[in-house]
Amino acid sequence: MAKTHISTSINGEPVEFLADPGSSLLDVLRNTLGLTGTKEGCGTGDCGACSVTVDGRLVCSCLVLAVEAEGHEIGTIEGMAQGETLHPLQRKFLEMAALQCGICTPGVLISARALLEKNPNPTETEVRFGLAGNLCRCTGYDKIVRAVLETAAEMRETV
Amino acid sequence: MNVINDKLRVEDNKWIGTRTVRPDGADKVTGRATYAADNTMPGMIWGKVLRSPHAHARIRSIDTSKAEALPGVKAVVTAKDIVDFPLETSVMLGIQDMRWMCRNVMAREKALFHGHPVAAVAAINEEVAAAACALIAVDYEVLPHVIEIEDAIKPDAPILHDFAKFEGKPSNIAGTMTAKLGDVEVGFAEADIIVERTFRTRPIHQGYIEPQACTVSYSADGRATIWSSSQGQFMVRAMTSLLTGVPQSNIRAIPAEIGGGFGAKTIIYLEPVALLLSKKSGRPVKMVMTREEVMRATGPTSGSFSTVKIGAKKDGTFVAAKGDFYIQAGCLPGGPLRGPVGCSFAPYDIPNVLSVGYDVVSNRSKVAAYRAPGAPLGAYAAECVVDEIAEKLGMDRLELRLKNTAGPGTKAAYGATFGKVTFEETIEAIQNHEHYKAPLDRNPRPGVKRGRGVASGFWYNAGGESSAQVNITEDGNVVVTTGHPDVGGSRASIANVAAELLGVDHSRVSVLIGDTASIGYSNLTGGSRVTFASAMVVTQSAEKVIGQLKERAAKIWKIDPEAVNWDNGEATPAGPNAGQFPPLTLADLAAKATETGGPIGAGVQLNTTGADPGFATHVVDVEVDVDLGIVRVLRYTAAQDVGRALHPSYVEGQIQGGVVQGIGWALSEEYLYDKQGRLDNAGFLDYRMPVCSDVPMIEAVMLEIPNPKHPQGVRGVGEAPIVPPLAAISNAVYDALGKRFYALPMSPPKVLERLDEV
């Protein structure tokens, strides 16, 4: 089937690509555009490793058709740091060892950022439910939750 | 040699024991780290596997001609392309028998489970590869199948393998393992109380988030390069070599970052297939499993059917223990018998033990290692029985364990005679913990009951082969290379060790994982061995480097090398020469390396020994919703002897992660099959691993009792934490409800069913 031309914006930069009508946004990010920071853990929207934002809204990119990106602003892990300056969540995840193998980490960070944008002062329970769509098999979530809570506290102080 | 180590007193440590930022961290939080599926190559094509639609079928013939004729298809392989290891002769690679591995990678005489690979295609893209798979005609003779242990061991069960005999007859019991001490009959005769119970657990998957993936490029000169994520690039090289006939010297296995393994990536599925597809097509071939393929055809770990009997005196002294452990192997022999057989009773000093494991094959995917393979199954049964004995004797649960702990000189049924044992310390740590002392509100609101449970666990731990190279760069910094894929932050621990020994700032140390061509043989990342073994070889390498640095300084100063000290990253003259010369830093010596003898660096390759076993004791509070059957873990505390925590955060992380995997095992995870022998829940929606909102914080109590056989005192930590949770949670649910469960998972339907029983 003929490919569709898509104009979109990824991490603030204009991007054009050709997509099969059946391709997911995740496929295009990883295999067409080389943005492999977004991971595929399941392809069915159950693990959250492919989390990205579309116009600021958190989605599983494996459940979004690539052609749906037309005219929208996509946010991926590659756009989270500003140059050499890590996002506070990224920095805190490193300081507090909130990752082990790291495969879920990009998705967790994108989810955590979306959570803190909506709720800058979450309780532990709110963090746990906010990240319930992101499977992590290594950490038992303990250090992830602590890092998100710490980041939120730090970001509130610096605003 | 131990001069450096004597200086490594804990109170003097600058880097060891600190929570430094891991060397590979920035790439992992920015999405730059390259995992197996992230690799691409120019000219690359895609491989896909055709899998059996039947749980059990003889393969009469395979016709690949239509698939090969499809435009865009570049190569097709079947079992006839894989090296055959005849059933008569065992060829072992580590603990893996290549007779089973060659049949696991590609079905040979029979398809043994739904999802068993029968052929593979490489094509210009995934869609064409999938279309080609659909064009392969396989003529199957469908055979009766068997899934569950109890069915597989019945006399009239369909037999999977003609070669497997038990008690002289064809059987699905493909092997047994026995650990014996004393005479259990005599022991039970002396007992005042005997408790015997039967337990069942379901197979569960390792659940790593990164599906297996690889890219293989086979060149015209017969050399192959493999990029894949595994728990051992040397295992990838050796196993691929055996299955393809390409010599090891012609295979370079490059370890990608690994997105979790938990034991399952100690064997391979795709690499030999991709190599053969690349060889046939002349193109690099990439293969990536879907989650469904991962669930259907990799791992899981065994389900079990176990009977445990323990006899005790009135005062609580254990006199005899017997365990019969029927362990699922999956479709080919090799279930983790060593776990339940050796570990179940190992924490205790019991004079009479008989532990027998049965390796039961059925039409499921071949099991793979999962964190302390098999040990949680045995500990589940044994520690629930211990709980019941305590109750019947009216003894405190932890006091009963304390009374029976193994100690120095205790002979374990599996053969070891223990040296120092640190089991007691883990029990006392829980007894003294605020969690264990805190009152529990047993009926916080209507319909909700709470309970508290404890359990202990044992894991062997391992040493084995490791290699390291420590090089001083021309600008006076440090590059450490080891041969172990880093699944959980092991580079962070190694960076701390190297910085400490060489006396340099942590930021000046890089730690890399070498490929099979750039570092010496290193055994798997598994068995809780990597930090233990690699810290040992890195220490010895660093000691050699320090020796070289002293020699170089001595040469410059024209004094005896023995008269040079290495402190805080610089050489200083010692003894009569003290103060004679200004110190020479690592950078000074690196700058003069050429004129003082050449590059500075050293490597060590070793078969490490001295990995003493690990013990753990856990306490957990649960809450049961008696209307909905939901069990929630409210609080969890895990105490473990970790020897020395080189990087405390990643040690805690091992304990926390292991516990939460145990929670999933106990409460929600299980493989479900339909009547046709097909896995019914081959995805993360229906295969329910714990999510963030399911669990509380997990408190890890690290007891740092140095292992005297290790330069930093390290003891393996990764596996022991998954051994106690199954029983601890089961005992807590009993404490809450007054009804014992003898099967896992204690998922809501099963809890409600049990509550409805009169």
Side-chain angles (χ1 to χ4, degrees):
Chain A
M1 199 181 282
K3 294 191 178 202
T4 306
H5 178 267
I6 301 296
S7 297
T8 184
S9 161
I10 300 180
N11 301 324
E13 290 168 8
V15 173
E16 295 179 41
F17 58 83
L18 295 174
D20 284 323
S23 290
S24 69
L25 176 59
L26 175 62
D27 283 338
V28 166
L29 288 172
R30 288 182 54 81
N31 296 328
T32 306
L33 302 174
L35 293 171
T36 55
T38 304
K39 304 301 180 192
E40 176 162 356
C42 67
T44 51
D46 298 314
C47 79
C50 68
S51 297
V52 300
T53 55
V54 176
D55 299 334
R57 180 171 160 229
L58 181 66
V59 296
C60 287
S61 60
C62 71
L63 298 184
V64 176
L65 289 171
V67 294
E68 292 181 278
E70 173 69 35
H72 293 288
E73 164 62 35
I74 312 297
T76 73
I77 187 66
E78 286 87 354
M80 198 158 169
Q82 299 299 316
E84 283 194 332
T85 309
L86 296 179
H87 185 280
L89 277 164
Q90 292 173 309
R91 185 166 41 74
K92 200 56 83 180
F93 267 52
L94 292 181
E95 288 168 9
M96 297 181 68
L99 59 147
Q100 284 180 33
C101 82
I103 193 85
C104 73
T105 308
V108 171
L109 286 165
I110 292 289
S111 286
R113 184 178 67 178
L115 170 71
L116 295 188
E117 279 169 7
K118 274 199 288 192
N119 180 359
N121 190 12
T123 62
E124 181 192 330
T125 301
E126 286 168 340
V127 170
R128 287 190 179 277
F129 279 89
L131 297 180
N134 293 85
L135 285 175
C136 168
R137 191 61 156 172
C138 295
T139 65
Y141 305 104
D142 184 298
K143 291 183 192 306
I144 292 175
V145 174
R146 287 178 199 277
V148 173
L149 289 167
E150 278 281 315
T151 310
E154 198 181 286
M155 286 175 76
R156 287 196 303 276
E157 274 169 30
T158 54
V159 170
Chain B
M1 189 190 260
N2 284 325
V3 175
I4 298 169
N5 301 335
D6 290 348
K7 285 187 192 168
L8 275 183
R9 287 194 307 269
V10 170
E11 58 273 23
D12 294 340
N13 284 174
K14 192 172 175 195
W15 299 107
I16 290 175
T18 66
R19 297 174 192 259
T20 49
V21 169
R22 61 195 281 169
D24 54 322
D27 280 353
K28 286 184 174 160
V29 297
T30 55
R32 281 184 214 178
T34 307
Y35 294 82
D38 299 338
N39 186 58
T40 52
M41 279 195 80
M44 184 184 89
I45 57 174
W46 292 80
K48 268 273 171 222
V49 173
L50 174 69
R51 296 176 183 276
S52 168
H54 306 294
H56 195 192
R58 193 170 310 284
I59 299 172
R60 292 200 191 102
S61 66
I62 303 177
D63 180 357
T64 60
S65 56
K66 282 186 185 159
E68 281 164 49
L70 186 71
V73 171
K74 301 294 178 188
V76 180
V77 302
T78 63
K80 68 181 186 328
D81 300 293
I82 307 271
V83 175
D84 185 11
F85 288 85
L87 294 166
E88 299 75 46
T89 316
S90 174
V91 175
M92 299 302 290
L93 178 70
I95 61 167
Q96 303 300 338
D97 190 323
M98 296 311 294
R99 290 178 295 172
W100 320 144
M101 290 316 299
C102 79
R103 285 166 177 77
N104 197 41
V105 162
M106 199 65 80
R108 193 159 281 276
E109 303 84 2
K110 294 202 288 187
L112 294 165
F113 65 96
H114 176 257
H116 200 161
V118 291
V121 174
I124 50 167
N125 60 42
E126 287 182 282
E127 291 72 29
V128 174
C133 282
L135 292 174
I136 295 174
V138 184
D139 182 12
Y140 292 105
E141 176 193 344
V142 178
L143 303 168
H145 66 271
V146 62
I147 299 293
E148 302 298 342
I149 294 175
E150 286 105 314
D151 297 330
I153 61 178
K154 281 180 186 159
D156 59 345
I159 298 295
L160 269 72
H161 304 294
D162 298 334
F163 60 82
K165 301 266 192 309
F166 181 69
E167 294 175 341
K169 283 180 241 151
S171 172
N172 289 321
I173 297 176
T176 60
M177 177 184 274
T178 302
K180 191 172 181 298
L181 193 67
D183 184 334
V184 283
E185 294 312 317
V186 172
F188 284 121
E190 290 170 7
D192 296 317
I193 176 178
I194 294 173
V195 174
E196 180 175 10
R197 297 284 179 257
T198 294
F199 299 84
R200 289 173 176 81
T201 71
R202 310 289 295 170
I204 67 162
H205 199 267
Q206 292 82 353
Y208 40 84
I209 309 299
E210 180 203 35
Q212 272 85 350
C214 69
T215 309
V216 181
S217 177
Y218 186 91
S219 298
D221 62 0
R223 291 173 199 278
T225 307
I226 302 172
W227 291 264
S228 72
S229 81
S230 74
Q231 288 173 247
Q233 61 274 45
F234 291 90
M235 173 280 297
V236 170
R237 182 177 74 173
M239 213 175 268
T240 305
S241 170
L242 283 163
L243 294 174
T244 61
V246 178
Q248 288 190 19
S249 55
N250 276 9
I251 298 175
R252 182 179 178 197
I254 301 178
E257 293 301 330
I258 169 171
F262 313 107
K265 292 177 184 170
T266 57
I267 57 172
I268 52 175
Y269 299 89
L270 298 175
E271 287 87 340
V273 176
L275 186 147
L276 293 167
L277 289 169
S278 177
K279 185 179 179 183
K280 280 194 173 184
S281 65
R283 304 270 289 268
V285 173
K286 178 169 178 171
M287 299 183 81
V288 182
M289 280 198 201
T290 62
R291 175 56 50 185
E292 187 181 335
E293 288 178 294
V294 170
M295 299 300 284
R296 287 197 193 286
T298 74
T301 190
S302 314
S304 65
F305 170 69
S306 310
T307 300
V308 160
K309 177 178 174 182
I310 297 179
K313 292 285 208 189
K314 276 194 194 110
D315 68 355
T317 307
F318 294 162
V319 288
K322 187 169 183 297
D324 284 305
F325 304 102
Y326 290 84
I327 302 297
Q328 270 161 352
C331 63
L332 291 156
L337 303 187
R338 184 175 166 261
V341 170
C343 297
S344 303
F345 309 118
Y348 304 108
D349 185 359
I350 311 176
N352 305 292
V353 175
L354 180 60
S355 218
V356 185
Y358 301 88
D359 196 28
V360 183
V361 293
S362 64
N363 295 110
R364 301 165 170 273
S365 55
K366 176 174 166 45
V367 300
Y370 181 32
R371 208 166 194 152
L377 305 172
Y380 166 54
E383 293 289 311
C384 285
V385 170
V386 169
D387 202 70
E388 223 169 310
I389 289 177
E391 185 191 22
K392 289 195 192 307
L393 290 174
M395 281 184 77
D396 178 84
R397 302 168 282 189
L398 291 178
E399 287 299 332
L400 176 65
R401 286 175 170 84
L402 270 181
K403 189 172 181 63
N404 289 288
T405 50
T410 298
K411 195 162 166 31
Y414 72 85
T417 301
F418 293 136
K420 185 171 169 53
V421 172
T422 51
F423 180 32
E424 224 171 272
E425 287 86 340
T426 69
I427 299 173
E428 285 163 356
I430 293 298
Q431 282 183 320
N432 297 326
H433 196 279
E434 186 267 329
H435 177 175
Y436 193 67
K437 294 178 184 166
L440 183 70
D441 181 359
R442 296 184 160 273
N443 297 291
R445 47 191 192 277
V448 169
K449 292 180 190 261
R450 289 180 179 169
R452 178 169 293 163
V454 297
S456 297
F458 166 93
W459 179 246
Y460 303 103
N461 291 334
E465 303 93 332
S466 281
S467 300
Q469 176 74 29
V470 175
N471 287 337
I472 305 303
T473 58
E474 300 94 292
D475 62 355
N477 292 305
V478 183
V479 177
V480 180
T481 308
T482 74
H484 299 298
D486 176 358
V487 279
S490 56
R491 274 174 288 212
S493 297
I494 294 307
N496 283 358
V497 170
E500 191 76 54
L501 293 171
L502 292 164
V504 299
D505 192 87
H506 180 267
S507 64
R508 293 172 58 190
V509 180
S510 285
V511 184
L512 307 173
I513 314 298
D515 64 61
T516 54
S518 64
I519 188 73
Y521 176 81
S522 299
N523 208 323
L524 294 161
T525 294
S528 301
R529 62 176 296 272
V530 164
T531 303
F532 170 87
S534 54
M536 197 177 266
V537 285
V538 167
T539 298
Q540 293 193 13
S541 305
E543 286 170 346
K544 286 188 177 181
V545 167
I546 290 168
Q548 293 175 16
L549 291 165
K550 288 181 181 176
E551 282 171 20
R552 306 303 175 90
K555 212 170 206 176
I556 291 165
W557 291 328
K558 299 188 176 57
I559 63 173
D560 188 55
E562 300 298 311
V564 178
N565 275 346
W566 186 262
D567 270 319
N568 291 321
E570 49 186 35
T572 50
N577 302 306
Q580 292 280 311
F581 310 102
L584 286 165
T585 64
L586 200 55
D588 296 333
L589 292 166
K592 291 191 165 67
T594 302
E595 60 250 49
T596 56
I600 302 169
V604 166
Q605 295 167 279
L606 203 63
N607 184 19
T608 64
T609 58
D612 278 2
F615 293 89
T617 300
H618 294 186
V619 57
V620 57
D621 295 351
V622 302
E623 177 175 285
V624 187
D625 183 318
V626 296
D627 298 316
L628 299 175
I630 296 169
V631 179
R632 282 193 67 80
V633 174
L634 297 177
R635 187 171 183 185
Y636 205 110
T637 305
Q640 189 175 330
D641 172 20
V642 305
R644 176 88 170 107
L646 299 177
H647 191 304
S649 298
Y650 292 104
V651 174
E652 289 164 355
Q654 286 297 314
I655 295 172
Q656 292 162 338
V659 165
V660 170
Q661 287 183 321
I663 292 173
W665 202 333
L667 297 180
S668 60
E669 296 178 35
E670 63 178 317
Y671 262 37
L672 301 166
Y673 279 78
D674 69 10
K675 289 202 171 68
Q676 281 73 46
R678 297 174 300 206
L679 181 63
D680 239 351
N681 56 338
F684 282 144
L685 185 63
D686 301 318
Y687 182 85
R688 185 67 163 77
M689 306 199 312
V691 302
C692 198
S693 51
D694 289 331
V695 292
M697 296 295 185
I698 307 297
E699 184 168 352
V701 180
M702 297 182 288
L703 306 174
E704 295 198 80
I705 306 160
N707 173 2
K709 299 170 189 164
H710 188 273
Q712 285 84 31
V714 168
R715 190 181 293 273
V717 295
E719 286 165 297
I722 202 172
V723 182
L726 283 54
I729 295 166
S730 192
N731 291 337
V733 170
Y734 168 69
D735 191 46
L737 298 177
K739 284 192 172 185
R740 289 199 182 266
F741 285 69
Y742 297 103
L744 299 181
M746 295 176 287
S747 57
K750 301 198 179 133
V751 170
L752 290 178
E753 201 176 296
R754 181 84 177 93
L755 284 171
D756 285 345
E757 283 172 26
V758 182

